[in-house]
Amino acid sequence: MTVKGLWVATRKGTFKVEKRAGRWQAALVGHAGTGVNYVARDPNTGRLWALLGHGHWGAKLSVSDDDGATWADNPAQIKFPEGARYIGQDMYEDSASDFGVGWRIVKRNATVQKLWVVGFGGDGAIWVGTIPGGLFVSRDGGGSFELNRPLWNHDSRGGDLFAGDGTGETKWFGTPASEGGEFAPGIHSICVDPRNPQRVLVAVSTAGVIETSDGGKTWRSRNKGMTMEHTPEPEAEWGHDTHVIELCASAPDHVWQQNHVGVFYSDNGAESWRKVSAPSEGVHFGFPVSADARDGRTAWVVPGRSDAQRMALDGGLFVARTNDGGATWRQLRKGLPQESAYDIVYRHALDNRDGLVAFGSTTGNLYLSEDRGDSWSAVSNNLPPIYAVRFA
Amino acid sequence: MPTSAPVVQVHLTRHLYAFFPQLEGRALDVEAADVAGVVRALEELAPGIGFYLCDERGRLRPHVNVFIGNAMVRDRRQLSDAVAAGDKVSILQALSGG
């Protein structure tokens, strides 16, 4: 699909960015004042889907069939079914502990805290990932959504809590990237294989990458080669803090991952990963990665300074690009601020299409390149905090 | 025709009119025996509003408040607080945000 425009989801609404009279311009087109976590176009129908997080009124799916001119709540909303529970951890005061607090395992009833990502299959399926970590699918064009129970009940998260108490142990841990401080694992990445819509990769913060090859009936971990040096068991099957994954549309065995502990790349469909961070080039920590649609070995990242700071390195904002599967990285700084810039770019806020690359920061800066990142110009410096940037 | 439940007056925060404009400018006199009944009645007038006020388990959302007269409802889980004929039921949002 050729580029029609750029869609920007922000804390205060949905913006459409188009090139008019030779200049890219952003316009607020919907959801004024409402948090928008993600916006994307279903390539099967042309419908736009926005994932809203009303501060008071909960998470809502909003759709537009007229390219963003008007929006309406989708008649079917995402809801956890009765009996959906998950294992979480609660902190409590514990004077006997050196830290003054302890943790206890609890089983919580699930309600949607956040709609985080939507993905589309070539078979028309619409997949939505949530916090807590639910994967919902519609196979009737959005007329209804159903929780994928095999993944919800997966052994890695303690088994079937609809039926009983399961094993009592989960390998999925919380992420603070949620509204209201809800500390629960969430599904932020959904990659449907363009060759076979029965094959879907999802990624969870914090658990890792999970694959189905039978349309969601069974799931298995895809975390081989990922390492967590900060933990006692660096090569554990679960517990990986994948920040986002993207696959190459024309060569889907090439999958890119920005992780909490570095950048990883797979050229065998996530069967195994290898770390391709380049700390000397500042490429290590960050949230987004964008895979080129044509060349599986090309990808972009927007690095940040470690998890202790989570902002641009040394006050200079840059994008890094590799053309050789992560063997080498090149910093791209032309046109980006190199003094007193402390932006951070969220996991969905970098995208590329047909040579265009765009990213937006929580500081409200939106930058776009028309030459694959070699040079950049600011579309706006005054948008609300940016959560997602998608060409469509 | 005899009524099966008391009629109460519902007052909504203006914020909700942005999402349910069909409710703006009209008197919201509904039949209900309790707060849950008020929410059900509103849902009939404006499909979808129930999921704005309550989560999928039927509990009031954390930043939504309901008053019967001047008293905040006590049961936010089952919405069982009773309403009487002529009661004014106000549905507000907390002054939270950013």
Side-chain angles (χ1 to χ4, degrees):
Chain A
M1 189 195 305
T2 56
V3 170
K4 289 184 179 174
L6 178 64
W7 298 90
V8 181
T10 79
R11 183 170 174 165
K12 295 290 182 180
T14 300
F15 291 78
K16 184 181 184 181
V17 180
E18 292 179 296
K19 196 171 190 179
R20 291 192 186 131
R23 195 167 74 85
W24 291 91
Q25 298 176 61
L28 177 65
V29 294
H31 315 117
T34 298
V36 186
N37 298 317
Y38 198 87
V39 59
R41 188 191 301 277
D42 183 345
N44 301 303
T45 63
R47 172 174 288 182
L48 289 162
W49 290 80
L51 311 186
L52 309 185
H54 290 285
H56 298 84
W57 315 114
K60 300 287 182 290
L61 288 172
S62 179
V63 295
S64 172
D65 288 318
D66 54 12
D67 215 33
T70 60
W71 295 83
D73 282 4
N74 193 58
Q77 292 292 327
I78 302 277
K79 299 177 182 179
F80 278 96
E82 181 86 40
R85 298 189 297 159
Y86 66 101
I87 297 172
Q89 292 175 308
D90 276 354
M91 193 167 61
Y92 66 97
E93 285 190 36
D94 180 3
S95 57
S97 160
D98 290 343
F99 305 103
V101 296
W103 295 89
R104 64 177 148 234
I105 301 295
V106 294
K107 295 188 179 75
R108 295 198 187 102
N109 292 315
T111 56
V112 174
Q113 299 295 319
K114 176 171 180 157
L115 303 172
W116 211 356
V117 67
V118 58
F120 307 99
D123 55 355
I126 302 168
W127 300 86
V128 176
T130 67
I131 299 177
L135 180 67
F136 292 80
V137 64
S138 174
R139 299 194 181 278
D140 57 5
S144 62
F145 285 87
E146 187 177 7
L147 176 69
N148 179 279
R149 295 202 185 207
L151 184 56
W152 184 259
N153 296 338
H154 199 261
D155 286 345
S156 61
R157 54 201 314 197
D160 185 352
L161 303 186
F162 283 97
D165 283 338
T167 66
E169 185 183 10
T170 183
K171 304 287 189 185
W172 293 32
F173 299 105
T175 176
S178 62
E179 293 168 12
E182 173 72 14
F183 197 73
I187 294 175
H188 50 63
S189 299
I190 299 169
C191 300
V192 184
D193 192 326
R195 301 165 300 194
N196 171 17
Q198 298 294 300
R199 181 172 175 270
V200 183
L201 292 171
V202 302
V204 178
S205 181
T206 300
V209 180
I210 310 168
E211 177 189 50
T212 180
S213 53
D214 55 16
K217 294 185 184 72
T218 59
W219 297 86
R220 59 180 169 177
S221 67
R222 283 302 197 187
N223 298 321
K224 194 175 169 189
M226 289 153 60
T227 52
M228 302 176 285
E229 286 82 1
H230 59 291
T231 70
E233 191 182 0
E235 296 181 8
E237 181 181 5
W238 299 100
H240 300 270
D241 190 3
T242 301
H243 284 174
V244 79
I245 59 170
E246 270 202 10
L247 53 73
C248 171
S250 63
D253 285 338
H254 294 255
V255 194
W256 288 89
Q257 174 181 172
Q258 175 70 65
N259 187 296
H260 200 85
V261 298
V263 181
F264 291 85
Y265 167 61
S266 171
D267 59 8
N268 56 13
E271 196 170 312
S272 63
W273 298 89
R274 68 172 180 271
K275 199 172 194 175
V276 294
S277 293
S280 63
E281 293 296 319
V283 175
H284 183 66
F285 183 82
F287 290 95
V289 63
S290 187
D292 188 273
R294 296 198 182 97
D295 176 11
R297 293 161 58 82
T298 293
W300 293 261
V301 294
V302 190
R305 172 74 77 191
S306 79
D307 58 346
Q309 293 188 8
R310 306 181 185 211
M311 55 189 189
L313 281 71
D314 304 323
L317 188 57
F318 69 94
V319 174
R321 183 183 65 211
T322 179
N323 299 323
D324 54 14
T328 61
W329 292 88
R330 185 179 158 209
Q331 294 186 357
L332 308 167
R333 295 178 181 268
K334 189 177 177 185
L336 297 175
Q338 298 304 306
E339 288 183 5
S340 301
Y342 294 98
D343 298 50
I344 191 70
V345 177
Y346 276 0
R347 70 197 76 212
H348 299 135
L350 165 70
D351 198 18
N352 84 92
R353 183 76 64 91
D354 300 335
L356 303 177
V357 191
F359 70 94
S361 73
T362 59
T363 319
N365 294 314
L366 178 66
Y367 296 100
L368 191 143
S369 168
E370 296 183 310
D371 53 14
R372 302 175 65 76
D374 289 343
S375 64
W376 297 87
S377 57
V379 176
S380 176
N381 298 112
N382 298 289
L383 294 178
I386 292 170
Y387 294 160
V389 167
R390 298 287 110 174
F391 286 106
Chain B
M1 190 173 72
T3 56
S4 56
V7 175
V8 300
Q9 299 175 343
V10 181
H11 293 255
L12 296 178
T13 168
R14 292 192 54 79
H15 286 220
L16 286 166
Y17 295 143
F19 313 115
F20 302 97
Q22 67 269 41
L23 298 180
E24 187 163 15
R26 59 181 285 189
L28 295 175
D29 296 333
V30 303
E31 288 183 16
D34 54 20
V35 175
V38 171
V39 173
R40 278 196 301 273
L42 290 173
E43 177 70 20
E44 285 189 21
L45 295 173
I49 197 170
F51 194 48
Y52 274 65
L53 306 177
C54 301
D55 66 20
E56 59 263 59
R57 295 286 76 79
R59 302 173 299 195
L60 275 186
R61 293 187 181 278
H63 295 267
V64 175
N65 290 323
V66 177
F67 290 80
I68 302 170
N70 295 325
M72 195 184 298
V73 299
R74 301 167 70 96
D75 179 5
R76 301 178 61 88
R77 288 178 168 267
Q78 308 291 331
L79 312 188
S80 63
D81 289 48
V83 295
D87 273 349
K88 176 180 168 184
V89 177
S90 303
I91 300 179
L92 308 172
Q93 86 278 7
L95 302 180
S96 51

Coordinates of all heavy atoms in Angstrom, one line a residue, chain B residues 10-63:
Chain B
V10 N -32.1 11.7 36.4 CA -30.7 11.5 36.3 C -30.0 12.8 35.8 O -30.5 13.4 34.8 CB -30.4 10.3 35.4 CG1 -28.9 10.1 35.3 CG2 -31.1 9.1 35.9
H11 N -28.9 13.2 36.4 CA -28.1 14.3 35.9 C -26.7 13.8 35.6 O -26.1 13.1 36.4 CB -28.0 15.4 37.0 CG -29.4 16.0 37.2 ND1 -29.7 17.3 36.8 CD2 -30.5 15.6 37.9 CE1 -30.9 17.6 37.1 NE2 -31.4 16.6 37.8
L12 N -26.3 14.0 34.4 CA -25.0 13.5 33.9 C -24.0 14.7 33.8 O -24.3 15.8 33.5 CB -25.1 12.9 32.5 CG -26.0 11.7 32.3 CD1 -26.0 11.3 30.9 CD2 -25.5 10.6 33.2
T13 N -22.7 14.3 34.1 CA -21.7 15.3 33.9 C -21.7 15.6 32.4 O -21.9 14.8 31.5 CB -20.3 14.7 34.2 OG1 -19.3 15.5 33.7 CG2 -20.1 13.3 33.7
R14 N -21.4 16.9 32.1 CA -21.5 17.3 30.7 C -20.4 16.6 29.8 O -20.6 16.5 28.6 CB -21.2 18.8 30.6 CG -22.3 19.7 31.2 CD -22.0 21.1 30.8 NE -21.9 21.3 29.3 CZ -23.0 21.3 28.5 NH1 -24.2 21.2 29.0 NH2 -22.8 21.5 27.2
H15 N -19.4 16.0 30.4 CA -18.4 15.3 29.6 C -19.0 14.2 28.8 O -18.6 13.9 27.7 CB -17.3 14.7 30.5 CG -16.4 15.8 31.1 ND1 -15.0 15.5 31.2 CD2 -16.6 17.0 31.5 CE1 -14.4 16.6 31.7 NE2 -15.4 17.5 31.9
L16 N -20.0 13.5 29.4 CA -20.6 12.4 28.7 C -21.4 12.8 27.5 O -21.6 12.0 26.6 CB -21.5 11.6 29.7 CG -20.7 10.8 30.7 CD1 -21.6 10.3 31.9 CD2 -20.0 9.6 30.1
Y17 N -21.9 14.0 27.4 CA -22.6 14.5 26.2 C -21.7 14.5 25.0 O -22.2 14.3 23.9 CB -23.2 15.8 26.4 CG -24.3 15.9 27.5 CD1 -24.4 17.0 28.3 CD2 -25.1 14.9 27.7 CE1 -25.3 17.1 29.3 CE2 -26.1 14.9 28.7 CZ -26.2 16.1 29.5 OH -27.1 16.1 30.5
A18 N -20.4 14.6 25.2 CA -19.5 14.5 24.0 C -19.6 13.2 23.4 O -19.4 13.1 22.1 CB -18.1 14.9 24.5
F19 N -19.8 12.1 24.2 CA -19.8 10.8 23.6 C -21.3 10.3 23.3 O -21.5 9.4 22.5 CB -19.2 9.8 24.6 CG -17.9 10.3 25.1 CD1 -17.7 10.6 26.5 CD2 -16.8 10.5 24.3 CE1 -16.5 11.1 27.0 CE2 -15.6 11.0 24.8 CZ -15.4 11.3 26.1
F20 N -22.2 10.9 24.0 CA -23.6 10.5 23.8 C -24.5 11.8 23.6 O -25.3 12.1 24.5 CB -24.1 9.7 25.0 CG -23.2 8.5 25.2 CD1 -22.2 8.5 26.1 CD2 -23.4 7.3 24.4 CE1 -21.4 7.3 26.3 CE2 -22.6 6.2 24.6 CZ -21.6 6.2 25.5
P21 N -24.3 12.4 22.5 CA -25.0 13.7 22.3 C -26.5 13.6 22.3 O -27.2 14.6 22.5 CB -24.5 14.2 20.9 CG -23.9 13.0 20.3 CD -23.4 12.1 21.4
Q22 N -27.0 12.4 22.0 CA -28.5 12.2 22.0 C -29.1 12.4 23.4 O -30.3 12.6 23.5 CB -28.8 10.8 21.5 CG -28.4 9.6 22.4 CD -27.0 9.1 22.1 OE1 -26.1 9.8 21.9 NE2 -26.9 7.7 22.2
L23 N -28.3 12.5 24.5 CA -28.8 12.7 25.8 C -28.8 14.2 26.2 O -29.5 14.5 27.2 CB -27.9 11.9 26.8 CG -27.9 10.4 26.7 CD1 -27.1 9.8 27.7 CD2 -29.3 9.8 26.7
E24 N -28.1 15.0 25.5 CA -28.0 16.4 25.9 C -29.3 17.1 25.7 O -30.0 16.9 24.7 CB -26.9 17.1 25.0 CG -26.6 18.5 25.5 CD -25.3 19.0 25.0 OE1 -24.8 18.4 24.0 OE2 -24.8 20.0 25.6
G25 N -29.6 17.9 26.7 CA -30.8 18.8 26.6 C -32.1 18.1 26.9 O -33.2 18.7 26.7
R26 N -32.1 16.9 27.3 CA -33.4 16.2 27.6 C -33.4 15.8 29.0 O -32.4 15.6 29.7 CB -33.6 15.0 26.6 CG -32.5 14.0 26.8 CD -32.7 12.8 25.8 NE -33.8 11.9 26.3 CZ -34.1 10.8 25.7 NH1 -33.4 10.4 24.6 NH2 -35.1 10.0 26.2
A27 N -34.6 15.8 29.5 CA -34.8 15.3 30.9 C -34.6 13.8 31.0 O -35.3 13.1 30.2 CB -36.2 15.7 31.4
L28 N -33.8 13.4 31.9 CA -33.5 11.9 32.0 C -34.3 11.4 33.2 O -33.7 11.2 34.2 CB -32.0 11.7 32.1 CG -31.2 12.1 30.9 CD1 -29.7 12.0 31.1 CD2 -31.6 11.3 29.6
D29 N -35.6 11.2 33.0 CA -36.4 10.6 34.0 C -36.5 9.1 33.7 O -37.1 8.7 32.7 CB -37.8 11.2 34.1 CG -37.7 12.7 34.4 OD1 -36.8 13.1 35.2 OD2 -38.6 13.5 34.0
V30 N -36.0 8.3 34.6 CA -36.0 6.9 34.3 C -36.5 6.1 35.4 O -36.5 6.5 36.6 CB -34.5 6.3 34.0 CG1 -33.9 7.1 32.8 CG2 -33.6 6.4 35.2
E31 N -37.1 4.9 35.1 CA -37.6 4.0 36.1 C -36.5 3.1 36.6 O -35.8 2.5 35.8 CB -38.7 3.2 35.6 CG -40.0 3.9 35.3 CD -41.1 3.0 34.8 OE1 -40.9 1.7 35.0 OE2 -42.1 3.5 34.3
A32 N -36.3 3.1 37.9 CA -35.2 2.2 38.5 C -35.5 2.0 40.0 O -36.0 2.9 40.6 CB -33.8 2.8 38.2
A33 N -35.1 0.9 40.5 CA -35.2 0.6 41.9 C -33.9 0.8 42.6 O -33.8 1.0 43.8 CB -35.7 -0.8 42.1
D34 N -32.8 0.7 41.8 CA -31.5 0.9 42.4 C -30.5 1.5 41.4 O -30.9 1.7 40.2 CB -30.9 -0.4 43.0 CG -30.9 -1.6 42.0 OD1 -31.0 -1.3 40.7 OD2 -30.9 -2.7 42.3
V35 N -29.3 1.7 41.8 CA -28.3 2.3 40.8 C -28.1 1.4 39.6 O -27.9 1.9 38.5 CB -27.0 2.7 41.6 CG1 -26.0 3.2 40.6 CG2 -27.3 3.7 42.7
A36 N -28.0 0.1 39.8 CA -27.8 -0.8 38.7 C -29.0 -0.6 37.7 O -28.7 -0.6 36.4 CB -27.8 -2.2 39.1
G37 N -30.2 -0.3 38.2 CA -31.3 -0.1 37.3 C -31.2 1.2 36.5 O -31.6 1.3 35.4
V38 N -30.6 2.2 37.2 CA -30.4 3.5 36.5 C -29.4 3.3 35.4 O -29.6 3.8 34.3 CB -29.8 4.5 37.5 CG1 -29.4 5.8 36.8 CG2 -30.9 4.9 38.6
V39 N -28.4 2.5 35.6 CA -27.4 2.3 34.5 C -28.0 1.5 33.4 O -27.8 1.9 32.2 CB -26.1 1.6 35.1 CG1 -25.2 1.2 34.0 CG2 -25.4 2.5 36.1
R40 N -28.9 0.6 33.7 CA -29.5 -0.2 32.7 C -30.4 0.7 31.9 O -30.5 0.6 30.6 CB -30.3 -1.4 33.3 CG -29.5 -2.6 33.6 CD -30.4 -3.8 33.9 NE -31.4 -3.6 34.9 CZ -31.1 -3.9 36.2 NH1 -29.9 -4.3 36.6 NH2 -32.0 -3.7 37.2
A41 N -31.1 1.6 32.5 CA -32.1 2.5 31.8 C -31.3 3.4 30.9 O -31.7 3.7 29.8 CB -32.9 3.3 32.8
L42 N -30.2 3.9 31.4 CA -29.4 4.8 30.5 C -28.8 4.0 29.3 O -28.8 4.6 28.2 CB -28.2 5.4 31.3 CG -28.6 6.4 32.4 CD1 -27.3 6.8 33.3 CD2 -29.2 7.7 31.8
E43 N -28.5 2.8 29.5 CA -27.9 2.0 28.4 C -29.0 1.8 27.3 O -28.7 1.8 26.1 CB -27.5 0.6 29.0 CG -27.0 -0.4 27.9 CD -25.6 0.0 27.3 OE1 -24.9 0.8 27.9 OE2 -25.3 -0.5 26.2
E44 N -30.3 1.7 27.7 CA -31.3 1.6 26.7 C -31.4 2.9 25.9 O -31.7 2.9 24.7 CB -32.7 1.3 27.4 CG -32.8 -0.1 27.8 CD -34.2 -0.5 28.3 OE1 -35.1 0.2 27.9 OE2 -34.3 -1.5 29.0
L45 N -31.2 4.0 26.6 CA -31.3 5.3 25.9 C -30.1 5.6 25.1 O -30.2 6.3 24.0 CB -31.5 6.5 27.0 CG -32.7 6.5 27.8 CD1 -32.7 7.5 28.9 CD2 -34.0 6.7 26.9
A46 N -29.0 5.2 25.5 CA -27.7 5.5 24.9 C -26.8 4.2 24.9 O -26.0 4.1 25.8 CB -27.0 6.7 25.5
P47 N -27.0 3.3 23.9 CA -26.2 2.1 24.0 C -24.7 2.3 24.0 O -24.2 3.2 23.3 CB -26.6 1.4 22.6 CG -28.0 1.9 22.3 CD -27.9 3.4 22.8
G48 N -24.1 1.7 25.0 CA -22.6 1.8 25.2 C -22.3 2.6 26.4 O -21.2 2.5 26.9
I49 N -23.2 3.4 27.0 CA -22.9 4.3 28.1 C -22.6 3.5 29.3 O -21.8 3.9 30.2 CB -24.0 5.3 28.3 CG1 -23.4 6.4 29.2 CG2 -25.2 4.7 28.9 CD1 -24.4 7.6 29.3
G50 N -23.2 2.3 29.4 CA -22.9 1.5 30.6 C -21.5 1.1 30.8 O -20.9 1.1 31.9
F51 N -20.8 0.9 29.6 CA -19.4 0.5 29.6 C -18.5 1.7 29.8 O -17.3 1.6 30.1 CB -19.0 -0.2 28.3 CG -17.7 -1.0 28.4 CD1 -17.4 -1.8 29.5 CD2 -16.8 -0.8 27.4 CE1 -16.1 -2.4 29.5 CE2 -15.6 -1.5 27.4 CZ -15.3 -2.3 28.4
Y52 N -19.1 2.9 29.7 CA -18.3 4.1 30.1 C -18.3 4.3 31.6 O -17.4 4.7 32.2 CB -18.9 5.4 29.5 CG -18.4 5.7 28.1 CD1 -18.6 4.8 27.0 CD2 -17.6 6.8 27.8 CE1 -18.1 5.0 25.8 CE2 -17.1 7.1 26.6 CZ -17.4 6.2 25.5 OH -16.8 6.4 24.3
L53 N -19.5 3.9 32.2 CA -19.6 4.1 33.7 C -19.0 3.0 34.5 O -18.5 3.2 35.6 CB -21.1 4.3 34.0 CG -21.9 5.4 33.3 CD1 -23.3 5.4 33.6 CD2 -21.2 6.7 33.5
C54 N -19.2 1.8 33.9 CA -18.8 0.6 34.7 C -17.8 -0.3 33.8 O -17.8 -0.2 32.6 CB -20.0 -0.3 35.0 SG -21.3 0.5 35.9
D55 N -17.0 -1.1 34.5 CA -16.1 -2.0 33.8 C -16.9 -3.2 33.4 O -18.2 -3.3 33.6 CB -14.9 -2.3 34.6 CG -15.2 -3.1 35.8 OD1 -16.2 -3.8 36.0 OD2 -14.3 -3.1 36.7
E56 N -16.2 -4.2 32.8 CA -17.0 -5.4 32.2 C -17.5 -6.3 33.3 O -18.2 -7.2 33.0 CB -16.1 -6.1 31.2 CG -14.8 -6.7 31.7 CD -13.6 -5.7 31.3 OE1 -13.7 -4.6 31.7 OE2 -12.7 -6.2 30.6
R57 N -17.1 -6.1 34.6 CA -17.7 -6.8 35.7 C -18.8 -6.1 36.3 O -19.3 -6.5 37.4 CB -16.6 -7.2 36.7 CG -15.5 -8.1 36.2 CD -15.9 -9.5 36.1 NE -16.7 -9.8 34.9 CZ -16.3 -9.9 33.7 NH1 -15.0 -9.9 33.5 NH2 -17.1 -10.1 32.7
G58 N -19.2 -4.9 35.8 CA -20.3 -4.2 36.3 C -20.0 -3.3 37.5 O -20.9 -2.7 38.1
R59 N -18.7 -3.1 37.8 CA -18.3 -2.2 38.9 C -18.2 -0.8 38.4 O -17.7 -0.6 37.2 CB -17.0 -2.7 39.5 CG -17.1 -4.2 40.0 CD -15.7 -4.7 40.4 NE -14.7 -4.6 39.3 CZ -13.6 -5.3 39.3 NH1 -13.2 -5.9 40.4 NH2 -12.7 -5.2 38.3
L60 N -18.5 0.2 39.2 CA -18.3 1.5 38.8 C -16.8 1.7 38.6 O -15.9 1.2 39.3 CB -18.7 2.5 39.9 CG -20.1 2.9 40.0 CD1 -20.3 4.0 41.1 CD2 -20.6 3.5 38.7
R61 N -16.4 2.4 37.5 CA -15.0 2.7 37.2 C -14.5 3.6 38.3 O -15.2 4.4 39.0 CB -14.9 3.4 35.9 CG -15.3 2.5 34.7 CD -15.0 3.1 33.4 NE -15.4 2.2 32.3 CZ -14.6 1.2 31.8 NH1 -13.4 0.9 32.4 NH2 -15.1 0.4 30.9
P62 N -13.2 3.5 38.6 CA -12.6 4.1 39.8 C -12.8 5.6 39.8 O -12.9 6.2 40.9 CB -11.1 3.8 39.7 CG -11.0 2.5 38.9 CD -12.2 2.6 37.9
H63 N -12.8 6.3 38.7 CA -13.0 7.7 38.7 C -14.4 8.2 38.3 O -14.5 9.3 37.8 CB -11.9 8.3 37.8 CG -10.5 8.1 38.2 ND1 -9.8 9.0 39.0 CD2 -9.7 7.0 38.1 CE1 -8.6 8.5 39.3 NE2 -8.5 7.3 38.7

